[in-house]
Amino acid sequence: LPSRLAELAAVQPQVLSVAEVLQPMVNAACPPGDFVSEGDTQLNAATGRTHYSVDGTGITVGVLSDSYNYLGGAPTDVANGELPGATNPCGFTDPVTVQAESGDTDEGRAMAQIVHDLAPGADIRFATANYGEQAFASQIRDLATAGAKVIVDDVGYFEEPMYQDGVIGKAVED
């Protein structure tokens, strides 16, 4: 029993430790992978996909953050079924369209993974929200022009007004 491993280690003074062998995690599974957003459960999205055949197909989702593939992990995420693209094992072969990229944390790729978990059939477009409020507002408009019906972001600018719309709020309204 795992709870008794410390006792086992104490049997011989030469044994420094005993550890449980954990089951490995496998990424390539459909739908979409073993690392599925907790939001999938909270939103009951699996029910929509299973019972109503709704998987995001025909919808474009825009993602605004800092970067998408600065760290170079997107091809691995595609191959593991965590993102759509040519090598996606689940058949979601339309890749994420990168409209503009800047930054170095790839938070945008993490957001795209969540979108892909919830709506694996959706077309995903990414744009950076860097370069200031005007550029952020322009990226929102460009995503909408490219067909994004849903746009998500994880960015805030300190100088955005609190009690009225600034340029970003106006872009959202437009």
Side-chain angles (χ1 to χ4, degrees):
L1 295 172
S3 62
R4 299 190 68 196
L5 289 176
E7 291 176 47
L8 179 62
V11 170
Q12 290 291 325
Q14 298 87 356
V15 176
L16 299 177
S17 70
V18 176
E20 179 181 3
V21 176
L22 301 174
Q23 187 72 12
M25 294 180 284
V26 180
N27 293 334
C30 299
D34 285 347
F35 300 108
V36 177
S37 166
E38 289 182 18
D40 191 68
T41 301
Q42 293 172 349
L43 297 171
N44 205 16
T47 299
R49 290 190 302 270
T50 304
H51 296 299
Y52 303 107
S53 300
V54 177
D55 71 352
T57 298
I59 302 296
T60 298
V61 178
V63 174
L64 285 152
S65 189
D66 71 332
S67 62
Y68 173 77
N69 196 34
Y70 177 84
L71 300 173
T76 300
D77 289 344
V78 172
N80 288 339
E82 300 297 328
L83 288 171
T87 60
N88 179 291
C90 305
F92 301 107
T93 58
D94 292 333
V96 173
T97 300
V98 178
Q99 182 171 290
E101 183 164 23
S102 169
D104 59 6
T105 67
D106 287 355
E107 287 184 30
R109 188 169 79 239
M111 291 175 67
Q113 291 170 347
I114 294 169
V115 170
H116 186 63
D117 283 350
L118 297 174
D123 179 37
I124 303 172
R125 297 186 66 89
F126 172 80
T128 187
N130 288 355
Y131 302 121
E133 293 180 54
Q134 289 288 352
F136 188 1
S138 291
Q139 295 295 356
I140 291 169
R141 288 186 176 97
D142 290 348
L143 286 169
T145 299
K149 299 294 183 204
V150 176
I151 300 176
V152 298
D153 76 81
D154 67 348
V155 176
Y157 278 92
F158 181 74
E159 297 167 342
E160 287 180 81
M162 289 190 170
Y163 302 109
Q164 63 188 18
D165 283 345
V167 295
I168 297 168
K170 178 72 173 120
V172 170
E173 187 176 313
D174 292 348

